[in-house]
Amino acid sequence: MRIAVFGLGFVGLTTALGFADKGFTVCGYDINKERCAEISCGKVPFFEPGMDDALARNFGKAFTIADSAIDAAYKSDICFFCVGTPGLPDGSADLSYMLFAIDSVLEIVSKDCVLVVKSTIPPGTLNERVTPHVRAKGVYNPVAVNPEFLREGKCWEDFMNPDRIVCGVSDDTAKDVLAELYKPFSAPLHIVEPNTAEFIKYLSNSLLASLISYSNEMALLADAVGDIDTARAFRILHEDRRLAGAGINTYIYPGCGYGGYCLPKDTAALDAVARNRGFIPRILEGVISLNNEMPERTARKIARVAGEKTEKIGILGLSFKPGSDDVRDSPAAKIIAALIQEGYINIYTYDPLAMREFQNTYRLPITYCTSAQEVCETCDTVALVTAWEEFKGIDRVFPDTCFVDCRYFLGNEVVI
Ligand SMILES: NC(=O)c1ccc[n+]([C@@H]2O[C@H](COP(=O)([O-])OP(=O)(O)OC[C@H]3O[C@@H](n4cnc5c(N)ncnc54)[C@H](O)[C@@H]3O)[C@@H](O)[C@H]2O)c1
């Protein structure tokens, strides 16, 4: 089976290499020529363990890159669209990149080629927007949706060993092709209606966001009461037999708000879908508004400790989560911007992986240090904003520094 993949970002490149590793012939295309050139030189454009090896194993063999969308789609049995679906100002998903990518292949695809949207699209989108858009152009190919659940920092591991595979189809051709494609994966394959498939993805992301906002609200409540060891309280909560050992615990923990490419835009898009249909999602609304407040609240907490505007403030961690160099919608950027707005002009930062990406993306007037140690030696107040393992215990190395532990992550717990 010949597969074409459009968009070679976190999801697209992982998808392309994953299917290539499973023995399929895959041709990828990205509109960003620099990205294509980088991948063609054997370099994965972002930090993802396992992907460099997968690229080295497959490039020029099972996986190639085309110079145009038409070349990539030529003679394909299936086209995966993995382009971005960012948020519009009203929160709804911007489908323009995806529709443009689909349009770019319509004139060339053979009539049985299955067009599969792997990007995250809100419930109702395939049936109400994508399929009518394609049909209006006189194209009657099978159209399907196949949401992706991989986590950044674990893209390869999650794609190759998924816990579930969800495909939303409306016809037998799409169903048969996707069932054949996913045969080499040992995960439950759920073939459902398109709306259900789309909804499952948002069900997952809005639950994760809700757990984070719940935890943040509880931590703020604990602050209001006072004399509560919040970090310890949460760790003891995790011992509940119903939660113990579950990966979900990493989401049931306070911090400075969820960020990254997915949770903020996906919660906003689901909220927009609900409102457009006349339903007010009260819990989701609270989850989003609390999250929107978190960077400002965190900046105020840091400013209270720092005091004078001339104080040097250190920010440890710039990526939206540890183990990734992705800085999209990173809480660190919003916290730093809020501090600058407040008049703090001496800000020193360090991140083990994301410095270059952060610098290129945000262009903030801050100083980039070469190590966490340098930040702590320079600043009297240091805020820990991303919970990188290597920052653990730094408070013991610099006992005279005031640490603002925005991730409830420093300090020793004594279990008696
Ligand atoms: N990042 C994640 O962890 C994750 C997880 C699950 C689902 N998703 C969803 O997958 C989709 C892609 O996310 P991502 O993080 O991989 O995005 P990304 O920004 O890393 O990659 C998107 C790529 O698409 C390319 N592109 C845009 N228009 C194109 C076109 N017309 N033809 C070819 N390429 C084009 C861009 O240049 C870019 O390289 C989004 O809908 C996202 O919500 C992301």
Side-chain angles (χ1 to χ4, degrees), residues 5-14 29-33 35 45-46 48 69 81-86 96-102 104 117-121 147-153 155 201-202 205 261-262 265-266 320-321 326 328:
V5 176
F6 300 90
L8 297 174
F10 287 90
V11 169
L13 186 57
T14 312
Y29 172 72
D30 198 293
I31 207 160
N32 179 340
K33 300 281 174 221
R35 175 157 284 192
F46 33 76
E48 277 302 331
F81 298 95
C82 307
V83 307
T85 45
S96 60
Y97 300 92
M98 208 213 4
L99 295 175
F100 178 81
I102 293 175
S104 66
V117 176
K118 205 173 217 334
S119 304
T120 301
I121 49 170
E148 179 52 57
F149 299 95
L150 58 74
R151 295 162 295 171
E152 282 183 28
C155 282
K201 174 66 188 171
Y202 284 82
N205 276 2
Y261 186 48
C262 295
K265 77 171 175 67
D266 292 348
F320 85 99
K321 69 171 187 182
D326 195 347
R328 290 180 287 184

Short mmCIF file of all heavy atoms in Angstrom, two decimals, residues 5-14 29-33 35 45-46 48 69 81-86 96-102 104 117-121 147-153 155 201-202 205 261-262 265-266 320-321 326 328, ligand 1:
data_model
loop_
_atom_site.label_atom_id
_atom_site.label_comp_id
_atom_site.label_asym_id
_atom_site.label_seq_id
_atom_site.Cartn_x
_atom_site.Cartn_y
_atom_site.Cartn_z
N VAL A 5 1.78 11.47 3.03
CA VAL A 5 1.55 12.20 4.28
C VAL A 5 1.81 13.68 4.03
O VAL A 5 2.90 14.05 3.56
CB VAL A 5 2.46 11.68 5.42
CG1 VAL A 5 2.28 12.52 6.68
CG2 VAL A 5 2.16 10.21 5.72
N PHE A 6 0.83 14.53 4.34
CA PHE A 6 0.96 15.98 4.12
C PHE A 6 1.09 16.68 5.46
O PHE A 6 0.24 16.54 6.33
CB PHE A 6 -0.25 16.49 3.33
CG PHE A 6 -0.32 15.81 2.00
CD1 PHE A 6 -1.03 14.62 1.85
CD2 PHE A 6 0.40 16.30 0.92
CE1 PHE A 6 -1.05 13.96 0.65
CE2 PHE A 6 0.39 15.64 -0.29
CZ PHE A 6 -0.32 14.47 -0.43
N GLY A 7 2.20 17.43 5.61
CA GLY A 7 2.53 18.06 6.89
C GLY A 7 3.48 17.14 7.62
O GLY A 7 3.11 16.02 7.99
N LEU A 8 4.74 17.58 7.76
CA LEU A 8 5.75 16.72 8.42
C LEU A 8 6.18 17.34 9.74
O LEU A 8 7.36 17.52 10.02
CB LEU A 8 6.93 16.49 7.47
CG LEU A 8 6.57 15.74 6.18
CD1 LEU A 8 7.76 15.68 5.23
CD2 LEU A 8 6.06 14.33 6.46
N GLY A 9 5.20 17.67 10.57
CA GLY A 9 5.48 18.16 11.92
C GLY A 9 5.49 16.99 12.89
O GLY A 9 5.78 15.85 12.50
N PHE A 10 5.18 17.25 14.14
CA PHE A 10 5.22 16.20 15.16
C PHE A 10 4.37 15.00 14.73
O PHE A 10 4.81 13.85 14.77
CB PHE A 10 4.70 16.74 16.50
CG PHE A 10 5.66 17.67 17.18
CD1 PHE A 10 5.64 19.04 16.94
CD2 PHE A 10 6.60 17.17 18.06
CE1 PHE A 10 6.52 19.90 17.56
CE2 PHE A 10 7.50 18.03 18.69
CZ PHE A 10 7.46 19.40 18.44
N VAL A 11 3.14 15.28 14.31
CA VAL A 11 2.23 14.18 13.97
C VAL A 11 2.57 13.59 12.60
O VAL A 11 2.66 12.36 12.44
CB VAL A 11 0.76 14.67 14.03
CG1 VAL A 11 -0.18 13.65 13.42
CG2 VAL A 11 0.37 14.95 15.48
N GLY A 12 2.79 14.46 11.61
CA GLY A 12 3.01 13.96 10.25
C GLY A 12 4.29 13.17 10.09
O GLY A 12 4.29 12.08 9.51
N LEU A 13 5.40 13.70 10.62
CA LEU A 13 6.66 12.98 10.44
C LEU A 13 6.62 11.65 11.20
O LEU A 13 7.09 10.62 10.72
CB LEU A 13 7.85 13.84 10.91
CG LEU A 13 9.22 13.25 10.64
CD1 LEU A 13 9.45 12.95 9.16
CD2 LEU A 13 10.34 14.18 11.15
N THR A 14 6.01 11.68 12.39
CA THR A 14 5.89 10.43 13.16
C THR A 14 5.04 9.42 12.39
O THR A 14 5.39 8.23 12.29
CB THR A 14 5.26 10.70 14.55
OG1 THR A 14 5.92 11.81 15.14
CG2 THR A 14 5.39 9.50 15.45
N TYR A 29 5.22 15.12 2.28
CA TYR A 29 5.37 16.47 1.69
C TYR A 29 5.04 17.51 2.75
O TYR A 29 4.08 17.35 3.52
CB TYR A 29 4.42 16.65 0.49
CG TYR A 29 4.42 18.07 -0.01
CD1 TYR A 29 5.51 18.59 -0.69
CD2 TYR A 29 3.34 18.92 0.26
CE1 TYR A 29 5.54 19.92 -1.10
CE2 TYR A 29 3.35 20.25 -0.16
CZ TYR A 29 4.46 20.74 -0.83
OH TYR A 29 4.49 22.05 -1.23
N ASP A 30 5.88 18.53 2.83
CA ASP A 30 5.58 19.67 3.71
C ASP A 30 5.76 20.94 2.90
O ASP A 30 6.70 21.06 2.11
CB ASP A 30 6.50 19.67 4.94
CG ASP A 30 5.94 20.53 6.06
OD1 ASP A 30 5.87 21.78 5.89
OD2 ASP A 30 5.56 19.98 7.11
N ILE A 31 4.88 21.88 3.14
CA ILE A 31 4.92 23.16 2.42
C ILE A 31 6.15 23.98 2.80
O ILE A 31 6.60 24.85 2.06
CB ILE A 31 3.60 23.92 2.69
CG1 ILE A 31 3.25 24.86 1.56
CG2 ILE A 31 3.62 24.62 4.03
CD1 ILE A 31 1.78 25.25 1.55
N ASN A 32 6.70 23.65 3.98
CA ASN A 32 7.88 24.34 4.49
C ASN A 32 9.14 23.67 3.92
O ASN A 32 9.54 22.59 4.35
CB ASN A 32 7.84 24.26 6.03
CG ASN A 32 9.03 24.92 6.68
OD1 ASN A 32 10.07 25.13 6.04
ND2 ASN A 32 8.89 25.24 7.95
N LYS A 33 9.74 24.34 2.93
CA LYS A 33 10.87 23.74 2.21
C LYS A 33 12.07 23.52 3.12
O LYS A 33 12.80 22.54 2.96
CB LYS A 33 11.29 24.62 1.02
CG LYS A 33 10.20 24.83 0.00
CD LYS A 33 10.07 23.62 -0.92
CE LYS A 33 8.88 23.75 -1.86
NZ LYS A 33 8.09 22.57 -2.08
N ARG A 35 12.01 22.78 6.25
CA ARG A 35 11.74 21.56 7.03
C ARG A 35 12.04 20.31 6.19
O ARG A 35 12.67 19.38 6.67
CB ARG A 35 10.28 21.60 7.50
CG ARG A 35 9.84 20.35 8.20
CD ARG A 35 8.67 20.58 9.11
NE ARG A 35 9.10 21.26 10.34
CZ ARG A 35 8.35 21.39 11.42
NH1 ARG A 35 7.15 20.89 11.46
NH2 ARG A 35 8.82 22.00 12.49
N PRO A 45 13.42 17.79 12.81
CA PRO A 45 13.41 19.23 13.15
C PRO A 45 13.01 19.57 14.59
O PRO A 45 12.90 20.72 14.93
CB PRO A 45 12.40 19.83 12.16
CG PRO A 45 11.80 18.73 11.42
CD PRO A 45 12.41 17.44 11.82
N PHE A 46 12.74 18.58 15.41
CA PHE A 46 12.39 18.84 16.81
C PHE A 46 12.92 17.69 17.64
O PHE A 46 13.32 16.65 17.08
CB PHE A 46 10.86 18.97 16.97
CG PHE A 46 10.09 18.08 16.03
CD1 PHE A 46 9.99 16.73 16.26
CD2 PHE A 46 9.53 18.60 14.86
CE1 PHE A 46 9.31 15.90 15.39
CE2 PHE A 46 8.85 17.77 13.97
CZ PHE A 46 8.74 16.42 14.24
N GLU A 48 12.63 14.55 19.59
CA GLU A 48 11.72 13.43 19.84
C GLU A 48 12.53 12.14 19.89
O GLU A 48 13.02 11.67 18.87
CB GLU A 48 10.65 13.31 18.74
CG GLU A 48 9.44 14.20 18.90
CD GLU A 48 8.66 14.01 20.20
OE1 GLU A 48 8.66 12.91 20.76
OE2 GLU A 48 8.05 14.99 20.65
N ALA A 69 3.05 18.57 -3.64
CA ALA A 69 1.93 17.79 -3.10
C ALA A 69 1.46 16.78 -4.15
O ALA A 69 1.13 15.63 -3.84
CB ALA A 69 0.81 18.73 -2.70
N PHE A 81 -3.65 13.77 6.07
CA PHE A 81 -3.45 15.21 6.24
C PHE A 81 -3.15 15.49 7.71
O PHE A 81 -3.98 15.24 8.59
CB PHE A 81 -4.69 15.97 5.73
CG PHE A 81 -4.90 15.72 4.27
CD1 PHE A 81 -5.77 14.72 3.85
CD2 PHE A 81 -4.16 16.41 3.32
CE1 PHE A 81 -5.92 14.43 2.50
CE2 PHE A 81 -4.30 16.13 1.96
CZ PHE A 81 -5.18 15.14 1.55
N CYS A 82 -1.93 15.96 7.94
CA CYS A 82 -1.44 16.14 9.32
C CYS A 82 -1.00 17.58 9.54
O CYS A 82 -0.06 17.85 10.28
CB CYS A 82 -0.26 15.21 9.59
SG CYS A 82 -0.58 13.50 9.21
N VAL A 83 -1.66 18.52 8.89
CA VAL A 83 -1.26 19.93 9.01
C VAL A 83 -1.88 20.52 10.26
O VAL A 83 -2.76 19.92 10.89
CB VAL A 83 -1.64 20.72 7.74
CG1 VAL A 83 -1.10 20.05 6.50
CG2 VAL A 83 -3.15 20.88 7.63
N GLY A 84 -1.47 21.73 10.61
CA GLY A 84 -1.96 22.36 11.82
C GLY A 84 -3.43 22.77 11.72
O GLY A 84 -3.93 23.06 10.62
N THR A 85 -4.11 22.78 12.86
CA THR A 85 -5.48 23.28 12.95
C THR A 85 -5.51 24.27 14.12
O THR A 85 -6.08 23.98 15.18
CB THR A 85 -6.49 22.14 13.19
OG1 THR A 85 -5.97 21.26 14.22
CG2 THR A 85 -6.76 21.35 11.95
N PRO A 86 -4.84 25.42 13.96
CA PRO A 86 -4.73 26.36 15.08
C PRO A 86 -6.08 26.99 15.44
O PRO A 86 -7.06 26.79 14.73
CB PRO A 86 -3.75 27.42 14.55
CG PRO A 86 -3.86 27.35 13.07
CD PRO A 86 -4.22 25.94 12.73
N SER A 96 -8.41 26.23 7.53
CA SER A 96 -7.96 26.66 6.21
C SER A 96 -6.71 25.90 5.74
O SER A 96 -6.60 25.56 4.56
CB SER A 96 -7.71 28.17 6.19
OG SER A 96 -6.74 28.51 7.13
N TYR A 97 -5.78 25.60 6.67
CA TYR A 97 -4.55 24.89 6.26
C TYR A 97 -4.91 23.48 5.76
O TYR A 97 -4.37 22.98 4.79
CB TYR A 97 -3.56 24.77 7.42
CG TYR A 97 -3.13 26.13 7.95
CD1 TYR A 97 -3.82 26.74 9.01
CD2 TYR A 97 -2.07 26.81 7.37
CE1 TYR A 97 -3.45 27.98 9.47
CE2 TYR A 97 -1.69 28.06 7.82
CZ TYR A 97 -2.39 28.64 8.87
OH TYR A 97 -2.03 29.88 9.31
N MET A 98 -5.86 22.88 6.49
CA MET A 98 -6.22 21.52 6.13
C MET A 98 -6.97 21.46 4.80
O MET A 98 -6.64 20.64 3.93
CB MET A 98 -7.08 20.94 7.24
CG MET A 98 -6.94 19.48 7.31
SD MET A 98 -8.38 18.69 7.79
CE MET A 98 -9.60 19.86 7.95
N LEU A 99 -7.91 22.37 4.62
CA LEU A 99 -8.67 22.37 3.36
C LEU A 99 -7.74 22.70 2.18
O LEU A 99 -7.86 22.12 1.10
CB LEU A 99 -9.84 23.36 3.44
CG LEU A 99 -10.91 22.98 4.48
CD1 LEU A 99 -11.98 24.06 4.57
CD2 LEU A 99 -11.56 21.63 4.17
N PHE A 100 -6.78 23.58 2.43
CA PHE A 100 -5.82 23.94 1.38
C PHE A 100 -4.98 22.70 1.01
O PHE A 100 -4.75 22.42 -0.17
CB PHE A 100 -4.92 25.08 1.86
CG PHE A 100 -3.89 25.49 0.86
CD1 PHE A 100 -4.21 26.34 -0.19
CD2 PHE A 100 -2.57 25.02 0.95
CE1 PHE A 100 -3.25 26.71 -1.14
CE2 PHE A 100 -1.61 25.38 0.02
CZ PHE A 100 -1.95 26.23 -1.03
N ALA A 101 -4.54 21.98 2.04
CA ALA A 101 -3.71 20.78 1.79
C ALA A 101 -4.52 19.74 1.01
O ALA A 101 -4.02 19.12 0.06
CB ALA A 101 -3.23 20.19 3.11
N ILE A 102 -5.78 19.58 1.38
CA ILE A 102 -6.63 18.60 0.66
C ILE A 102 -6.81 19.05 -0.80
O ILE A 102 -6.65 18.26 -1.73
CB ILE A 102 -8.00 18.44 1.38
CG1 ILE A 102 -7.79 17.79 2.75
CG2 ILE A 102 -8.96 17.62 0.52
CD1 ILE A 102 -9.04 17.68 3.60
N SER A 104 -4.91 20.65 -2.60
CA SER A 104 -3.70 20.55 -3.41
C SER A 104 -3.51 19.18 -4.06
O SER A 104 -2.64 19.03 -4.91
CB SER A 104 -2.47 20.93 -2.58
OG SER A 104 -2.26 19.99 -1.56
N VAL A 117 -8.12 12.64 7.39
CA VAL A 117 -7.69 13.78 8.21
C VAL A 117 -7.15 13.22 9.53
O VAL A 117 -7.87 12.58 10.29
CB VAL A 117 -8.88 14.73 8.49
CG1 VAL A 117 -8.43 15.86 9.42
CG2 VAL A 117 -9.44 15.28 7.20
N LYS A 118 -5.85 13.44 9.76
CA LYS A 118 -5.25 13.00 11.03
C LYS A 118 -5.14 14.19 12.00
O LYS A 118 -5.01 14.03 13.20
CB LYS A 118 -3.89 12.35 10.80
CG LYS A 118 -3.57 11.38 11.93
CD LYS A 118 -2.32 10.60 11.67
CE LYS A 118 -2.38 9.17 12.15
NZ LYS A 118 -3.26 8.84 13.24
N SER A 119 -5.18 15.39 11.44
CA SER A 119 -5.18 16.59 12.29
C SER A 119 -6.39 16.52 13.23
O SER A 119 -7.38 15.85 12.92
CB SER A 119 -5.33 17.84 11.43
OG SER A 119 -4.33 17.90 10.46
N THR A 120 -6.29 17.24 14.34
CA THR A 120 -7.42 17.27 15.28
C THR A 120 -8.47 18.24 14.76
O THR A 120 -8.19 19.42 14.55
CB THR A 120 -6.90 17.73 16.66
OG1 THR A 120 -5.89 16.81 17.08
CG2 THR A 120 -8.02 17.77 17.68
N ILE A 121 -9.66 17.70 14.50
CA ILE A 121 -10.76 18.57 14.01
C ILE A 121 -11.99 18.35 14.90
O ILE A 121 -12.29 17.24 15.32
CB ILE A 121 -11.10 18.30 12.52
CG1 ILE A 121 -11.27 16.79 12.22
CG2 ILE A 121 -10.03 18.90 11.62
CD1 ILE A 121 -11.84 16.51 10.83
N PRO A 147 -8.08 10.47 14.33
CA PRO A 147 -7.38 11.34 15.30
C PRO A 147 -6.15 10.66 15.90
O PRO A 147 -6.11 9.44 16.04
CB PRO A 147 -8.44 11.60 16.38
CG PRO A 147 -9.48 10.56 16.18
CD PRO A 147 -9.44 10.17 14.75
N GLU A 148 -5.17 11.49 16.23
CA GLU A 148 -3.90 10.98 16.77
C GLU A 148 -3.83 11.33 18.26
O GLU A 148 -4.15 12.44 18.65
CB GLU A 148 -2.75 11.62 15.97
CG GLU A 148 -1.38 11.22 16.42
CD GLU A 148 -1.22 9.71 16.49
OE1 GLU A 148 -1.43 9.03 15.47
OE2 GLU A 148 -0.87 9.21 17.58
N PHE A 149 -3.35 10.37 19.05
CA PHE A 149 -3.31 10.58 20.50
C PHE A 149 -1.89 10.68 21.05
O PHE A 149 -1.70 10.68 22.26
CB PHE A 149 -4.06 9.44 21.22
CG PHE A 149 -5.51 9.37 20.85
CD1 PHE A 149 -5.96 8.52 19.85
CD2 PHE A 149 -6.45 10.19 21.48
CE1 PHE A 149 -7.31 8.47 19.49
CE2 PHE A 149 -7.79 10.15 21.13
CZ PHE A 149 -8.22 9.28 20.12
N LEU A 150 -0.88 10.72 20.18
CA LEU A 150 0.50 10.71 20.69
C LEU A 150 0.79 11.93 21.56
O LEU A 150 0.13 12.97 21.42
CB LEU A 150 1.51 10.64 19.53
CG LEU A 150 1.52 11.70 18.43
CD1 LEU A 150 2.10 13.01 18.90
CD2 LEU A 150 2.29 11.18 17.24
N ARG A 151 1.76 11.75 22.48
CA ARG A 151 2.18 12.87 23.34
C ARG A 151 3.53 13.37 22.85
O ARG A 151 4.40 12.55 22.50
CB ARG A 151 2.36 12.38 24.79
CG ARG A 151 1.10 11.93 25.46
CD ARG A 151 1.40 11.08 26.67
NE ARG A 151 2.07 9.82 26.31
CZ ARG A 151 2.61 8.96 27.18
NH1 ARG A 151 2.57 9.23 28.48
NH2 ARG A 151 3.18 7.85 26.77
N GLU A 152 3.73 14.68 22.85
CA GLU A 152 5.04 15.20 22.48
C GLU A 152 6.07 14.74 23.51
O GLU A 152 5.76 14.59 24.69
CB GLU A 152 5.01 16.73 22.39
CG GLU A 152 4.38 17.16 21.10
CD GLU A 152 4.37 18.66 20.91
OE1 GLU A 152 5.25 19.35 21.46
OE2 GLU A 152 3.48 19.13 20.20
N GLY A 153 7.28 14.49 23.03
CA GLY A 153 8.32 13.94 23.91
C GLY A 153 8.28 12.41 23.88
O GLY A 153 9.26 11.75 24.20
N CYS A 155 6.48 10.88 21.05
CA CYS A 155 5.77 10.67 19.77
C CYS A 155 5.99 9.27 19.20
O CYS A 155 5.05 8.57 18.85
CB CYS A 155 6.26 11.69 18.74
SG CYS A 155 5.58 13.33 18.94
N LYS A 201 -11.38 12.37 20.51
CA LYS A 201 -10.13 13.13 20.68
C LYS A 201 -10.34 14.30 21.65
O LYS A 201 -9.53 14.56 22.54
CB LYS A 201 -9.67 13.61 19.30
CG LYS A 201 -8.47 14.52 19.32
CD LYS A 201 -7.21 13.83 19.79
CE LYS A 201 -6.08 14.82 19.98
NZ LYS A 201 -4.92 14.25 20.64
N TYR A 202 -11.47 14.99 21.49
CA TYR A 202 -11.75 16.16 22.36
C TYR A 202 -12.14 15.72 23.76
O TYR A 202 -11.90 16.43 24.74
CB TYR A 202 -12.83 17.05 21.73
CG TYR A 202 -12.26 17.85 20.59
CD1 TYR A 202 -12.13 17.29 19.32
CD2 TYR A 202 -11.78 19.14 20.78
CE1 TYR A 202 -11.57 18.01 18.27
CE2 TYR A 202 -11.21 19.86 19.75
CZ TYR A 202 -11.10 19.29 18.49
OH TYR A 202 -10.52 19.99 17.47
N ASN A 205 -8.69 15.23 25.37
CA ASN A 205 -7.94 16.45 25.70
C ASN A 205 -8.68 17.35 26.69
O ASN A 205 -8.05 17.99 27.53
CB ASN A 205 -7.61 17.23 24.41
CG ASN A 205 -6.35 16.68 23.76
OD1 ASN A 205 -5.76 15.73 24.25
ND2 ASN A 205 -5.95 17.27 22.66
N TYR A 261 0.72 22.95 22.13
CA TYR A 261 -0.06 23.18 20.92
C TYR A 261 -1.49 22.68 21.04
O TYR A 261 -2.39 23.21 20.39
CB TYR A 261 0.65 22.50 19.74
CG TYR A 261 0.00 22.79 18.41
CD1 TYR A 261 -0.32 24.10 18.05
CD2 TYR A 261 -0.30 21.77 17.50
CE1 TYR A 261 -0.92 24.38 16.83
CE2 TYR A 261 -0.89 22.04 16.29
CZ TYR A 261 -1.20 23.35 15.96
OH TYR A 261 -1.79 23.63 14.76
N CYS A 262 -1.71 21.65 21.87
CA CYS A 262 -3.01 20.98 21.79
C CYS A 262 -4.06 21.42 22.81
O CYS A 262 -5.15 21.84 22.43
CB CYS A 262 -2.80 19.47 21.84
SG CYS A 262 -1.89 18.89 20.40
N LYS A 265 -5.80 25.06 22.44
CA LYS A 265 -6.64 25.29 21.25
C LYS A 265 -7.80 24.28 21.19
O LYS A 265 -8.88 24.61 20.74
CB LYS A 265 -5.79 25.24 19.97
CG LYS A 265 -5.39 23.86 19.51
CD LYS A 265 -4.76 23.89 18.13
CE LYS A 265 -4.24 22.52 17.72
NZ LYS A 265 -5.27 21.52 17.50
N ASP A 266 -7.56 23.06 21.68
CA ASP A 266 -8.62 22.05 21.57
C ASP A 266 -9.76 22.33 22.56
O ASP A 266 -10.93 22.12 22.24
CB ASP A 266 -8.05 20.63 21.76
CG ASP A 266 -7.13 20.25 20.59
OD1 ASP A 266 -7.13 20.96 19.57
OD2 ASP A 266 -6.41 19.23 20.71
N PHE A 320 6.91 24.00 27.05
CA PHE A 320 5.60 23.90 27.72
C PHE A 320 5.54 22.72 28.68
O PHE A 320 4.70 22.69 29.56
CB PHE A 320 4.46 23.86 26.69
CG PHE A 320 4.15 22.50 26.14
CD1 PHE A 320 3.10 21.75 26.64
CD2 PHE A 320 4.90 21.96 25.11
CE1 PHE A 320 2.79 20.49 26.13
CE2 PHE A 320 4.60 20.70 24.59
CZ PHE A 320 3.55 19.97 25.10
N LYS A 321 6.46 21.77 28.51
CA LYS A 321 6.53 20.66 29.46
C LYS A 321 7.93 20.07 29.40
O LYS A 321 8.65 20.27 28.40
CB LYS A 321 5.48 19.59 29.16
CG LYS A 321 5.71 18.81 27.89
CD LYS A 321 4.74 17.65 27.82
CE LYS A 321 5.03 16.75 26.65
NZ LYS A 321 4.12 15.65 26.49
N ASP A 326 9.22 21.99 22.50
CA ASP A 326 8.10 22.75 21.94
C ASP A 326 7.75 23.90 22.88
O ASP A 326 7.55 23.70 24.08
CB ASP A 326 6.89 21.81 21.77
CG ASP A 326 5.83 22.41 20.86
OD1 ASP A 326 5.90 23.61 20.57
OD2 ASP A 326 4.93 21.65 20.43
N ARG A 328 5.30 26.23 21.89
CA ARG A 328 4.03 26.82 21.46
C ARG A 328 3.11 26.96 22.67
O ARG A 328 2.94 26.03 23.45
CB ARG A 328 3.38 25.92 20.39
CG ARG A 328 4.14 25.96 19.08
CD ARG A 328 3.51 25.08 18.02
NE ARG A 328 3.71 23.66 18.27
CZ ARG A 328 3.30 22.70 17.44
NH1 ARG A 328 2.67 23.01 16.32
NH2 ARG A 328 3.53 21.43 17.71
N1 LIG B 1 1.63 17.92 18.57
C1 LIG B 1 0.94 16.97 19.17
O1 LIG B 1 1.31 16.46 20.24
C2 LIG B 1 -0.35 16.48 18.57
C3 LIG B 1 -0.93 15.30 19.06
C4 LIG B 1 -2.11 14.86 18.50
C5 LIG B 1 -2.72 15.58 17.49
N2 LIG B 1 -2.16 16.73 17.04
C6 LIG B 1 -2.83 17.46 15.96
O2 LIG B 1 -2.17 17.15 14.73
C7 LIG B 1 -2.16 18.30 13.87
C8 LIG B 1 -0.73 18.66 13.53
O3 LIG B 1 -0.04 18.99 14.73
P1 LIG B 1 1.56 19.09 14.77
O4 LIG B 1 1.93 19.35 16.19
O5 LIG B 1 2.15 17.94 14.05
O6 LIG B 1 1.77 20.44 13.92
P2 LIG B 1 3.14 21.00 13.33
O7 LIG B 1 2.98 22.47 13.31
O8 LIG B 1 4.29 20.40 14.05
O9 LIG B 1 3.16 20.43 11.83
C9 LIG B 1 2.28 20.85 10.84
C10 LIG B 1 3.06 20.86 9.53
O10 LIG B 1 2.15 21.02 8.45
C11 LIG B 1 2.84 21.76 7.44
N3 LIG B 1 1.85 22.26 6.46
C12 LIG B 1 0.98 23.29 6.58
N4 LIG B 1 0.25 23.40 5.46
C13 LIG B 1 0.65 22.42 4.62
C14 LIG B 1 0.25 22.00 3.33
N5 LIG B 1 -0.70 22.62 2.65
N6 LIG B 1 0.87 20.93 2.78
C15 LIG B 1 1.86 20.29 3.44
N7 LIG B 1 2.28 20.64 4.67
C16 LIG B 1 1.68 21.68 5.25
C17 LIG B 1 3.57 22.82 8.23
O11 LIG B 1 4.61 23.40 7.47
C18 LIG B 1 4.07 22.01 9.42
O12 LIG B 1 5.36 21.47 9.19
C19 LIG B 1 -2.91 19.39 14.63
O13 LIG B 1 -4.26 19.34 14.25
C20 LIG B 1 -2.77 18.96 16.07
O14 LIG B 1 -3.81 19.45 16.89
C21 LIG B 1 -0.97 17.19 17.54
#
